Amino acid sequence: MTVLNETIPLGEYIFLRLCQANPKMKSIFGVPGDYNLNLMEHLYADSLVEQDVKFVGNCNELNAAYCSDGYARIMDTFSVMITTLGVGELSAMNGISSAFSEYSPILHIVGTIPIFKEKFNEKAEQEGGEFQNWHHLVQSKDQLSKPDPDVYMKMCEPISVVREKLELNMEENFDRIDNVINTILHESRPGYLFIPADLPDIKVSSARLTKPFPFVKNTNEDKLEEFSNLILSNLYESKNPSIMSDDLITKFHSMDSFQKIINKVQNDKSVKLYSSRIGKNIDETLDNFIGIYPSPNKKVTESFQNSDCLVVFGYSNFETNSLYNNPNHFKNIKTVIKINPDFISVGDKIFRLKSKGERLFAMNDLINKIAQDLNVDLLNKQDNCLDFKSSQVVLAEENDTEESRIGQDKLFNFVNNYIQEDDIIMCETSSFCFALPDLTFKKNVRAIYNSYYASIGFALPACVGVSMAIKDLGRKNRVLLFEGDGSAQMTVQEISTFLRFNLTIPKIFLMNNEGYTIERAIKGETRSYNDIQYWNWEFALKMFGDMNGEVSKYVKLSNNKDFDKYFSNEVDVNKLQLFELMMYKTDYSQGLKFFLGK
C-alpha cells in the first residue's frame, strides 16, 4: 500500500477522499476537456491505481450522466462523473435533471477556468482596462462587461442539492468537498463540485485522509419514537390494515430496514401487502401479497379500497405511479399514512421532517425503528386476504401466427417466464415499460427505468453504468435491457463502451417498431413526426468495434416462429447479446393502454 506523503496534490486528495466516502467505487465516468485535464491526471497516481479506480470515458456527456445514474443505483451510494466547463457540463444537464427527478446521487465534477483568468478580469475591471473573454465561457450580453465565470453554476441550481466551488483557501476547500459528499448522500440527488483548472496540482496536507470519512447523520431519537408510536398505533387500531411499498424505499437505501417489517408480517393475513406500480420491491410470492396498485385487476382494486388504514413506505407523488386517470386512489381509505424522506402525513395532517435544510432523521432510521417496535401480536387477528392469491398475469396474444411479427403481449408473456431470481430488468421509456408493473418478479428481481423524468435514450447508457457496477462489485446478476429503436438512436454510441470495457453482461432486446410507438399511442399514430430512419442493426456491433463477433452476438428475430425457435433452444454465451425484435408500429402494451385509460 502506498504511504502518502505529508503533502500531496489537491487532485489526488480529492479522488482519495471520494474513495474514502465510497470504498466500493471503481469507475468514474465522463469526458475529458481542457479545463479538467489537470484534475484527470491525478486519477493515475499510484495511490489510486492501487485501489483499481479507473476512468470510463463516455462518447458524450449526456451518456456519461446516464451511466453515472445507473452506476449509483446498483452501488447504493453516490457515483462520480467529470466534465469540462460549459460545453461539457451543459450537455450533461439533461441527464443530471433526470437524476434529480429520479433520486440518483451523482457527484458532477466540473473543471472550470483557472483562478488566474478570473483574477485577470477582476483586475481589468478595477483598473478600467480591457477584460478577456475565455473559450467555453459564454459572453456577457453587454460586450463591454466581463463574462460571469459562475454563469453555468447558477443554471444548475434547480437540479442539484449542493454546489461548491474550490478556491485558494485549502482548509475551506476540504470542508467544501466533505459537504458536497454528505449532502448528496443525505438527499440522494445530484450535487456539483467546480474545480478551477489551476488548483489540482497545488500541494495540500494529507492529514485528513488518515481518519475515516466524517459522515454526518442527524437523528432526533425523541421524534423517531414519537412518529413510530403514531404510525404503529394506527396499525394496531385498524381492522383491515394494508402496507404499500413505494419507489423511494429503494432510492433512499431503505430496503433492508423495510424487509424487516415484511419479515414480521409476511405470514399474517391480517395485513395486506401491495406495491406501487413503480415500487415493485416486495416479494410477490408471499401469501398476503395482493398485487400492484393501481391495477386493472378489479379484485386487487376492491381489496385495496376496502382497507381502513394504509401505510405507504417511501411515498412518491408522480402521475406515472398513480396514473393520469386516477390521481385520488387513496380517497376511500379512512386513514392514509405516507412516509416520505421529507415529510410524514397522517390523514390531513402533514409533519415536515426538514427544517432549514436539516432532517430530523433519515427515512431509513424511521423504517428501522418501526421494524424494531412492531409487535404483530397487537394487530387485529382476522383474515383480510380472503384467500386472495396474487397470480401471474397471462395475456391473450392477438398476433399468434408463426409469420406474425412479435407482439407486445407475446413479449410480456415471454419475459414473465424468462425472469430469474436476482435479474435486473432495464427498460427504455417505451410502450413496454408500462407493462413492467404487471410482470411477476421473482426474489430480488429489480426494475430500473426512467419512470419520472421519462427521457427516451436513458436506458442504454444507464445499462453501461449498471453493468459496470455489477462487474466492479464482482456480482453475477443477469441484465435484461428492453430498448426501443427510436430511443436507441438517441444514445446508441454507448454500445462502444460496452465493447471497450468488455461488458458482456446484458442481453439487449431491441424492439424495432419503426419509430416512437409510445408517442403514437398518445397522438399522431400515423404522423410522420413519429417515424424514424430504418437502421440496419446487423452491422451496429461491428461498427462500434467488434468486427469479428468476439465479444458480442447479434440475432434478428423477424416473427413469432423465429422467436420461439431461438428461445426454445437458447444457448447462453458470455457475450453482449443484441436481439432485434421486429414488432408492429401501432401495437401497444396492455400496461400503456391502462395508463392512458384506453
Side-chain angles (χ1 to χ4, degrees):
M1 179 179 179
T2 298
V3 178
L4 295 176
N5 298 322
E6 291 184 3
T7 61
I8 60 174
L10 176 62
E12 183 179 359
Y13 173 91
I14 291 170
F15 289 126
L16 290 173
R17 197 59 161 172
L18 296 176
C19 290
Q20 272 191 310
N22 181 4
K24 297 184 292 184
M25 180 180 69
K26 302 299 179 186
S27 300
I28 292 176
F29 302 91
V31 178
D34 48 356
Y35 287 137
N36 65 31
L37 297 180
N38 283 352
L39 173 66
M40 301 263 272
E41 279 294 312
H42 296 287
L43 260 177
Y44 302 90
D46 290 343
S47 58
L48 275 302
V49 172
E50 284 187 1
Q51 297 190 46
D52 296 325
V53 178
K54 62 183 176 297
F55 179 72
V56 178
N58 295 103
C59 298
N60 60 53
E61 292 85 359
L62 172 62
N63 289 353
Y66 289 149
C67 285
S68 302
D69 186 331
Y71 193 80
R73 296 197 197 201
I74 299 302
M75 285 291 180
D76 249 2
T77 183
F78 72 97
S79 60
V80 179
M81 64 173 291
I82 304 174
T83 68
T84 195
L85 175 77
V87 294
E89 63 179 301
L90 294 185
S91 293
M93 191 171 282
N94 185 41
I96 295 297
S97 297
S98 172
F100 184 87
S101 299
E102 300 284 336
Y103 293 93
S104 285
I106 299 174
L107 171 57
H108 185 179
I109 296 176
V110 180
T112 68
I113 64 171
I115 287 181
F116 84 83
K117 291 186 176 182
E118 290 190 43
K119 299 296 184 185
F120 176 91
N121 276 351
E122 289 173 3
K123 184 177 180 182
E125 186 177 50
Q126 292 167 0
E127 297 178 353
E130 185 175 7
F131 65 86
Q132 179 67 61
N133 284 311
W134 307 106
H135 73 284
H136 292 345
L137 183 60
V138 68
Q139 301 170 12
S140 171
K141 291 180 179 178
D142 178 3
Q143 288 292 292
L144 293 177
S145 298
K146 68 180 179 66
D148 179 1
D150 297 326
V151 61
Y152 307 125
M153 187 176 179
K154 296 171 183 175
M155 290 183 185
C156 71
E157 190 279 332
I159 58 168
S160 60
V161 292
V162 61
R163 295 153 306 285
E164 293 281 11
K165 182 179 179 180
L166 301 190
E167 298 177 359
L168 291 173
N169 186 316
M170 292 303 151
E171 286 301 319
E172 291 182 1
N173 284 343
F174 294 156
D175 293 337
R176 292 185 181 104
I177 294 165
D178 288 359
N179 178 55
V180 167
I181 295 170
N182 272 309
T183 305
I184 290 171
L185 288 173
H186 284 168
E187 302 297 324
S188 196
R189 276 177 157 164
Y192 279 78
L193 184 63
F194 296 88
I195 304 177
D198 51 354
L199 291 189
D201 295 335
I202 295 177
K203 291 294 184 70
V204 300
S205 171
S206 64
R208 282 209 189 190
L209 298 175
T210 63
K211 301 176 182 179
F213 184 84
F215 294 104
V216 177
K217 184 176 182 181
N218 296 323
T219 304
N220 186 318
E221 298 293 345
D222 291 339
K223 287 295 182 182
L224 268 181
E225 184 81 28
E226 177 185 335
F227 283 109
S228 177
N229 289 339
L230 175 63
I231 292 164
L232 288 175
S233 64
N234 277 276
L235 270 179
Y236 297 150
E237 293 169 7
S238 169
K239 293 182 179 180
N240 194 351
S242 295
I243 288 175
M244 186 178 200
S245 69
D246 210 343
D247 187 42
L248 296 189
I249 292 176
T250 302
K251 290 176 177 174
F252 276 80
H253 321 299
S254 301
M255 271 307 301
D256 289 344
S257 298
F258 180 66
Q259 188 59 47
K260 294 176 186 176
I261 296 175
I262 299 303
N263 290 343
K264 282 191 172 184
V265 302
Q266 64 184 10
N267 296 316
D268 194 328
K269 287 197 172 185
S270 64
V271 180
K272 299 177 294 185
L273 302 177
Y274 302 86
S275 283
S276 71
R277 293 188 66 79
I278 293 174
K280 284 189 74 71
N281 40 31
I282 291 181
D283 183 350
E284 298 179 11
T285 65
L286 296 177
D287 288 340
N288 55 338
F289 177 77
I290 306 301
I292 304 300
Y293 189 84
S295 170
N297 186 318
K298 292 181 179 179
K299 287 180 65 178
V300 173
T301 299
E302 182 179 347
S303 172
F304 184 87
Q305 295 290 358
N306 284 340
S307 305
D308 61 359
C309 177
L310 171 70
V311 184
V312 186
F313 288 88
Y315 173 70
S316 175
N317 176 17
F318 267 87
E319 101 282 13
T320 48
N321 210 7
S322 60
L323 303 190
Y324 282 122
N325 60 342
N326 193 12
N328 299 312
H329 54 274
F330 298 146
K331 65 180 180 180
N332 294 330
I333 301 173
K334 179 182 176 182
T335 303
V336 178
I337 299 171
K338 301 172 183 174
I339 302 174
N340 178 278
D342 290 348
F343 69 89
I344 295 171
S345 67
V346 181
D348 294 332
K349 295 182 179 179
I350 297 177
F351 306 92
R352 292 184 179 272
L353 300 183
K354 290 178 72 174
S355 176
K356 298 180 180 178
E358 297 289 338
R359 282 195 176 87
L360 293 173
F361 48 76
M363 183 177 70
N364 184 55
D365 292 336
L366 175 61
I367 296 174
N368 197 46
K369 176 67 173 169
I370 293 171
Q372 292 174 4
D373 294 348
L374 175 60
N375 182 349
V376 292
D377 293 333
L378 297 179
L379 294 168
N380 184 37
K381 295 300 180 181
Q382 63 182 37
D383 188 348
N384 289 316
C385 296
L386 303 175
D387 295 324
F388 187 98
K389 179 62 180 175
S390 178
S391 59
Q392 181 168 299
V393 176
V394 179
L395 300 178
E397 299 171 17
E398 295 181 5
N399 303 305
D400 58 356
T401 67
E402 284 191 345
E403 301 307 317
S404 297
R405 287 194 177 193
I406 300 156
Q408 289 278 338
D409 292 347
K410 182 178 183 65
L411 182 60
F412 177 91
N413 290 336
F414 164 77
V415 177
N416 238 349
N417 293 301
Y418 193 68
I419 296 173
Q420 299 176 7
E421 289 187 4
D422 302 314
D423 278 353
I424 296 173
I425 299 178
M426 303 197 65
C427 193
E428 188 54 75
T429 303
S430 62
S431 174
F432 191 69
C433 80
F434 288 91
L436 290 188
D438 296 315
L439 293 170
T440 299
F441 280 8
K442 296 180 173 65
K443 187 177 180 181
N444 295 328
V445 172
R446 182 174 177 184
I448 294 177
Y449 55 114
N450 206 227
S451 49
Y452 304 148
Y453 195 65
S455 176
I456 67 171
F458 163 84
L460 196 153
C463 189
V464 172
V466 166
S467 301
M468 190 67 77
I470 291 170
K471 185 175 182 180
D472 287 352
L473 292 170
R475 287 166 41 179
K476 301 295 183 181
N477 308 72
R478 287 197 318 175
V479 178
L480 311 180
L481 168 60
F482 297 90
E483 178 74 23
D485 57 340
S487 303
Q489 291 192 10
M490 298 280 185
T491 51
V492 68
Q493 309 97 317
E494 232 51 48
I495 285 180
S496 66
T497 308
F498 281 121
L499 301 175
R500 178 183 178 189
F501 290 91
N502 198 26
L503 297 176
T504 58
I505 299 167
K507 296 173 182 282
I508 303 175
F509 295 83
L510 181 77
M511 301 173 288
N512 189 335
N513 44 24
E514 303 175 44
Y516 306 124
T517 293
I518 187 171
E519 311 293 5
R520 296 187 200 277
I522 298 170
K523 201 172 188 69
E525 187 172 74
T526 60
R527 295 295 190 190
S528 61
Y529 56 70
N530 282 324
D531 296 336
I532 60 172
Q533 170 65 27
Y534 176 79
W535 285 9
N536 192 330
W537 288 95
E538 180 179 357
F539 300 102
L541 297 171
K542 294 181 179 180
M543 183 183 77
F544 287 118
D546 189 21
M547 292 298 298
N548 300 313
E550 295 174 358
V551 295
S552 64
K553 179 180 180 180
Y554 165 83
V555 179
K556 184 174 183 177
L557 303 172
S558 299
N559 50 43
N560 288 332
K561 181 180 179 180
D562 291 348
F563 189 91
D564 292 338
K565 181 179 179 181
Y566 182 87
F567 284 106
S568 63
N569 299 290
E570 182 186 17
V571 177
D572 210 357
V573 293
N574 185 28
K575 292 183 178 183
L576 173 72
Q577 297 176 72
L578 174 62
F579 305 111
E580 183 179 8
L581 311 182
M582 304 307 295
M583 306 180 77
Y584 292 101
K585 66 166 63 176
T586 57
D587 180 26
Y588 315 123
S589 69
Q590 298 300 322
L592 180 58
K593 293 175 184 177
F594 176 60
F595 176 72
L596 296 175
K598 295 185 176 181

